[in-house]
Amino acid sequence: MFKVSSRSRPLRPAALAAVLVAALVAPGATAQGAAASHRAASGVPTAEAARAGGWGGVPKPVAGWGRDRLAPGVDLYQGVVAGKPGADHWTVTVRGAGGAHLLSEAAADTLAGQLRAAGFEPRAERVTWPRGADRTGLLGVRTRVGTFGGQNQADARRKALAAAGFDAVSEWTGGDGAPGTGLAQVKVAVIDPARFGGKLSGTYGTHVAGRENVSDMAARSRALLAVNAGFFVMESRDGVPGAAAGIAAYDGELQSAATNGRVAMVLRGDGLRPEFRHLSTRLRVHAGKASAVVDGVNRVPGKIRNCGGTGGDLPTERPLHDVTCTDPDEIVRFTDELGAPTPAGEGAEAVLDRSGRVLELRPRGGAVPAGGSVLAGIGEGERWLREHAAVGQRLTVRENIVDEHGRRVRLGSRDDIVSGGPRLVRDGRVAVDFAADGIDRADEPSFAYAWGLKRNPRTAVGVDARGRLIVVTAAGRQPGYSDGLGLHEMAQLMRSLGARQAMNLDGGGSSAMAVNGKLITMPSDATGERAVGDALVLTR
């Protein structure tokens, strides 16, 4: 974790690269020291460096920052920053039951005793919640063996541990997120709505169902700049692949219900003045005086990816990231933007024309009529449809989107919503809501550690006090090239860039940035650029 100045000022473009270097490279760096760090990166030694005959304790960036003017009001900064040379190494992490990387103190003590009895020399590393998180104190204890210069040496020790009956994995410590360590390839786009006359919008590509590369969506949209957007369903066991796993709306039409309470970005009109809100959706279908809850949009009935639904979902109605909750009694709406047959299964479907009149009541699985929609019901939802969705009956679905203050969010025909999470910066302060966002799982500290605290590829978006958008990607999971950023590090980076509000978007193998339709980031997946559910595209 790096430290930043307690003051968060809007940045002039000329100073942006300097503050990036100061924020990422130097723990304890301040905005006042940014210019000196930038001079050092350009080959001009600081006064401290001259006195010390070196870099004065400030790690030298691997490469200087460059700036490209993509269009009037749109600047792209690219650079590489690194921690203290030699700070990172290979090691072996010994895991607990179920592959847990973090254990309780008592469990870690027991594991350490077993390792010593087997002839190994373990070390315990305490992992605590970072400052600015909505959790404090100890997250868990990591148990490790050895310090190695190469992965092959770590692998040899790992094999010896496996032979002794231990579950172990070789790891590069640059990914831990410890101060003064790691390597990050970072790209920052700054968009000034006062000078740029284009539009920022969300796009699901050709269909809501299915996945596409960011670069392909960017090329089709003739986008100046594009990045991956919200979370989405990856596997059919969790729902409709490619569909959003959280709220999503495009051109004023709701295409996915909210993971209730998670942060989202509302893009109105040209999208250049986004609103960051924690949203929930309340949907009902009406047949005369009768009505029922509509639990979701464009997803498999009974499967709620990332949870945060309504009406008795199990194991929780709260957000729970990367978990698929279930509900045996649901009604789900499908729009004609789905681009695929509705999912087959038990239950019934009411097929509606564009006016909401029921055309037929059929088994689940079939086409969505052009301009129309389908309501699929299971359990109590099926019973409601069979009672009220007679052919010729008009059904009306009413959608209500509300924010954390209970205020209704109305959408115009040019408005979009892109989901994400967690919140990174609120009103100029680092505020990462691990718990409220469903990343901190009860009795499973290893998830928050691996997904949130460790360095990974990341994509984030924010707005500074002058209304400029800040879009950031960091490559990761590539030792020697780029480790990425922890969520708290990304939050600190966004704040150091002057962000008053900022949120995390999807990351990992999904993180991507394209300029003029060409990918400019290095994917972490071995297969290359990952196809995603939706993207943010900046067009002229």
Side-chain angles (χ1 to χ4, degrees):
M1 181 173 64
F2 50 81
K3 298 179 181 178
V4 296
S5 169
S6 59
R7 285 173 283 185
S8 180
R9 298 174 177 172
L11 301 177
R12 297 186 301 274
L16 181 57
V19 176
L20 279 167
V21 171
L24 277 174
V25 184
T30 63
Q32 290 83 353
S37 296
H38 186 50
R39 288 195 299 272
S42 304
V44 180
T46 63
E48 292 81 5
R51 286 194 295 269
W55 290 93
V58 179
K60 180 180 179 181
V62 175
W65 287 84
R67 184 183 75 172
D68 294 306
R69 173 68 48 84
L70 302 184
V74 182
D75 292 314
L76 176 67
Y77 297 84
Q78 303 182 67
V80 183
V81 295
K84 183 178 179 181
D88 305 316
H89 55 266
W90 286 94
T91 189
V92 179
T93 301
V94 184
R95 299 183 293 196
H101 281 70
L102 295 188
L103 303 176
S104 67
E105 291 180 288
D109 286 343
T110 299
L111 178 58
Q114 294 169 343
L115 286 164
R116 283 190 288 268
F120 298 98
E121 297 181 6
R123 65 181 183 276
E125 299 174 353
R126 293 170 58 87
V127 178
T128 58
W129 288 103
R131 182 177 298 178
D134 58 353
R135 284 284 189 265
T136 58
L138 180 70
L139 178 59
V141 179
R142 183 173 56 207
T143 303
R144 284 177 163 169
V145 173
T147 299
F148 309 100
Q151 185 177 2
N152 58 337
Q153 297 168 310
D155 286 343
R157 186 63 56 88
R158 173 182 56 79
K159 292 175 183 177
L161 283 158
F166 295 99
D167 178 10
V169 60
S170 300
E171 289 194 303
W172 174 248
T173 61
D176 289 350
T181 69
L183 179 71
Q185 295 263 2
V186 181
K187 302 184 189 300
V188 179
V190 179
I191 306 158
D192 187 349
R195 299 171 56 222
F196 179 67
K199 181 179 181 179
L200 179 69
S201 56
T203 177
Y204 53 74
T206 56
H207 302 293
V208 168
R211 298 160 54 187
E212 295 184 51
N213 291 343
V214 169
S215 58
D216 291 338
M217 287 188 272
R220 186 184 307 109
S221 303
R222 297 184 178 179
L224 184 67
L225 179 82
V227 295
N228 63 291
F231 303 113
F232 59 94
V233 176
M234 294 189 66
E235 306 292 342
S236 58
R237 66 174 179 265
D238 298 312
V240 177
I247 192 167
Y250 314 92
D251 297 324
E253 297 293 331
L254 191 68
Q255 301 296 341
S256 180
T259 301
N260 287 328
R262 280 194 110 170
V263 69
M265 182 168 66
V266 182
L267 304 173
R268 299 192 181 279
D270 63 14
L272 298 179
R273 296 163 181 82
E275 304 165 10
F276 296 89
R277 302 194 188 187
H278 294 259
L279 299 180
S280 299
T281 46
R282 301 169 185 172
L283 316 176
R284 294 192 73 86
V285 56
H286 297 261
K289 294 183 179 180
S291 70
V293 170
V294 175
D295 298 86
V297 180
N298 290 326
R299 65 167 173 80
V300 175
K303 295 183 177 181
I304 308 97
R305 187 62 174 167
N306 291 339
C307 303
T310 59
D313 298 349
L314 297 173
T316 180
E317 292 182 9
R318 298 182 58 203
L320 201 57
H321 189 70
D322 274 1
V323 171
T324 299
C325 283
T326 61
D327 186 344
D329 304 298
E330 285 199 322
I331 296 176
V332 171
R333 181 173 188 259
F334 292 94
T335 69
D336 66 342
E337 289 89 351
L338 181 67
T342 61
E346 295 183 357
E349 289 182 342
V351 182
L352 314 181
D353 66 13
R354 66 178 62 250
S355 71
R357 196 172 301 278
V358 178
L359 300 175
E360 65 171 318
L361 190 65
R362 71 186 186 196
R364 281 183 52 211
V368 181
S373 61
V374 170
L375 292 174
I378 60 172
E380 290 298 327
E382 177 188 1
R383 284 186 277 277
W384 192 92
L385 289 176
R386 290 195 180 280
E387 182 177 350
H388 299 285
V391 173
Q393 171 71 45
R394 179 166 291 172
L395 302 182
T396 303
V397 176
R398 295 175 183 168
E399 301 176 345
N400 193 14
I401 305 170
V402 297
D403 67 12
E404 63 267 43
H405 304 293
R407 298 174 300 198
R408 186 170 183 182
V409 178
R410 299 179 185 273
L411 297 181
S413 61
R414 298 179 60 211
D415 298 345
D416 300 333
I417 301 178
V418 169
S419 65
R423 187 75 168 256
L424 300 176
V425 179
R426 183 191 289 269
D427 299 329
R429 300 182 64 182
V430 170
V432 185
D433 47 0
F434 288 95
D437 205 65
I439 297 166
D440 176 27
R441 298 180 186 172
D443 302 321
E444 195 179 352
S446 290
F447 180 81
Y449 162 70
W451 197 90
L453 272 64
K454 291 198 72 174
R455 291 176 176 139
N456 286 286
R458 306 280 182 193
T459 304
V461 61
V463 177
D464 72 7
R466 287 172 49 186
R468 292 173 298 186
L469 284 91
I470 304 167
V471 184
V472 178
T473 60
R477 299 178 186 165
Q478 300 171 74
Y481 172 72
S482 186
D483 300 309
L485 297 171
L487 283 174
H488 60 294
E489 290 179 311
M490 178 63 89
Q492 289 176 307
L493 171 59
M494 296 300 287
R495 180 181 176 276
S496 76
L497 298 177
R500 296 289 300 167
Q501 315 293 338
M503 63 178 273
N504 184 61
L505 295 169
D506 194 8
S510 299
S511 282
M513 180 180 284
V515 172
N516 294 319
K518 295 185 178 180
L519 191 69
I520 64 168
T521 49
M522 182 68 75
S524 63
D525 286 0
T527 53
E529 184 180 0
R530 177 185 293 179
V532 299
D534 63 351
L536 282 170
V537 294
L538 185 72
T539 53
R540 296 177 190 268

